[in-house]
Amino acid sequence: MRAQIEASRELHPQPGKEKEGVRQSPIAGAVLANADVDHALGLLLLRELQPLRVYATDSIRRMLQRVPGQVTWGSFEPGIAFPLENPGGEDSGLRCRALSLGTHYPAYVSPRRQSELTLGDASLGLMVASSSGKRLAYMPAVPQIDNALLQEFESADVLLFDGTFWSDDELIRIQGSGQTALQMGHVPVSSAEGSLSKLAGLRHPRKIYLHLNNTNPMLNEVGPEYAQVREAGWEIAEDGWEFEL
């Protein structure tokens, strides 16, 4: 997170706001799609006395909140659109709606804690819409793809989709142990049931893979997996990309 902020001039302290100090950032808040450590850990780097608004379901909030009053929380429920506001309550003009994608909890959530949470809040995708009508779909962890999800994707202008693993047994083959991609809550890219095949019929959105694990051969730009993805009309996200809605 720190390296990404430093590499993006738009996220640096802004001219004309010197009174807020060199720690000021245009980042006003975040929407949490799940409570995985690698999804939420960046919040710790935004803690330097700057107000922050964090949106999450009640279940994700209960998984993460350890110290009261650290951030301004905004609760939401899957399926219900809500405005994205800064810590002062000013409306950004963006509307967000969460989609319930699965029931996979992070490894640190005990069975007892799981029993106290709402199952459909465990893993979410986000649909973000601007006042212009443009829509972005952010899907970092997708365990399965059904017709309802395909309809949501077709309505988007940009689709940022889970590209974590190329194959279901990727970690097991490379590490000699571990879980499959599906057991971890990620539909793999390849195979007849993978996202490359399942999403081949999408025509409207610009399709971009993100959230790639370092074991994913798609990262090799001279490899056959990268070529297959590009030939299918997909892009692979890079640091610094911006999307204007």
Side-chain angles (χ1 to χ4, degrees):
M1 174 71 80
R2 176 178 177 178
Q4 290 176 328
I5 291 175
E6 290 181 344
S8 302
R9 185 176 299 276
E10 294 80 4
L11 302 181
H12 294 182
Q14 300 298 296
K17 296 186 177 181
E18 290 82 359
K19 65 179 182 179
E20 298 182 20
V22 296
R23 296 181 186 273
Q24 182 275 337
S25 169
I27 299 173
V31 180
L32 299 183
N34 58 58
D36 287 328
V37 173
D38 59 353
H39 188 79
L41 195 59
L43 293 175
L44 299 179
L45 299 177
L46 303 175
R47 72 190 189 284
E48 298 288 353
L49 302 180
Q50 178 179 325
L52 186 68
R53 184 178 295 274
V54 179
Y55 292 90
T57 62
D58 287 338
S59 292
I60 291 177
R61 175 177 172 176
R62 291 183 64 188
M63 282 186 269
L64 290 173
Q65 184 160 337
R66 304 292 179 87
V67 180
Q70 181 180 4
V71 297
T72 301
W73 289 91
S75 294
F76 65 88
E77 297 180 14
I80 301 177
F82 58 95
L84 297 181
E85 302 173 344
N86 69 13
E90 297 173 324
D91 196 334
S92 68
L94 298 174
R95 295 292 180 273
C96 186
R97 178 169 55 88
L99 307 179
S100 181
L101 299 179
T103 59
H104 177 80
Y105 288 104
Y108 70 84
V109 183
S110 67
R112 182 184 64 81
R113 176 62 65 87
Q114 290 182 26
S115 68
E116 301 171 349
L117 304 174
T118 302
L119 199 60
D121 290 357
S123 184
L124 305 170
L126 304 175
M127 303 294 295
V128 181
S130 70
S131 56
S132 68
K134 297 292 186 179
R135 296 168 52 133
L136 178 145
Y138 172 65
M139 305 286 149
V142 182
Q144 59 185 3
I145 302 170
D146 56 23
N147 289 333
L149 209 52
L150 288 174
Q151 291 179 8
E152 294 280 3
F153 296 165
E154 193 62 71
S155 71
D157 296 281
V158 177
L159 170 61
L160 303 176
F161 192 84
D162 182 358
T164 308
F165 299 112
W166 175 258
S167 58
D168 191 37
D169 63 346
E170 189 169 310
L171 288 183
I172 298 174
R173 285 189 293 102
I174 294 175
Q175 299 178 167
S177 62
Q179 294 180 309
T180 67
L182 290 171
Q183 287 173 335
M184 297 176 67
H186 300 281
V187 61
V189 174
S190 66
S191 81
E193 296 301 313
S195 59
L196 200 61
S197 175
K198 288 285 190 178
L199 303 180
L202 294 180
R203 294 292 177 263
H204 182 66
R206 175 184 174 186
K207 298 180 292 187
I208 303 170
Y209 277 120
L210 82 168
H211 200 268
L212 276 68
N213 197 59
N214 57 14
T215 58
N216 194 324
M218 287 163 49
L219 292 170
N220 181 4
E221 295 186 3
V222 298
E225 294 85 0
Y226 178 86
Q228 184 177 345
V229 167
R230 298 293 285 130
E231 289 169 2
W234 283 81
E235 301 171 72
I236 296 177
E238 299 179 13
D239 286 347
W241 281 13
E242 298 179 9
F243 304 96
E244 183 174 343
L245 297 181

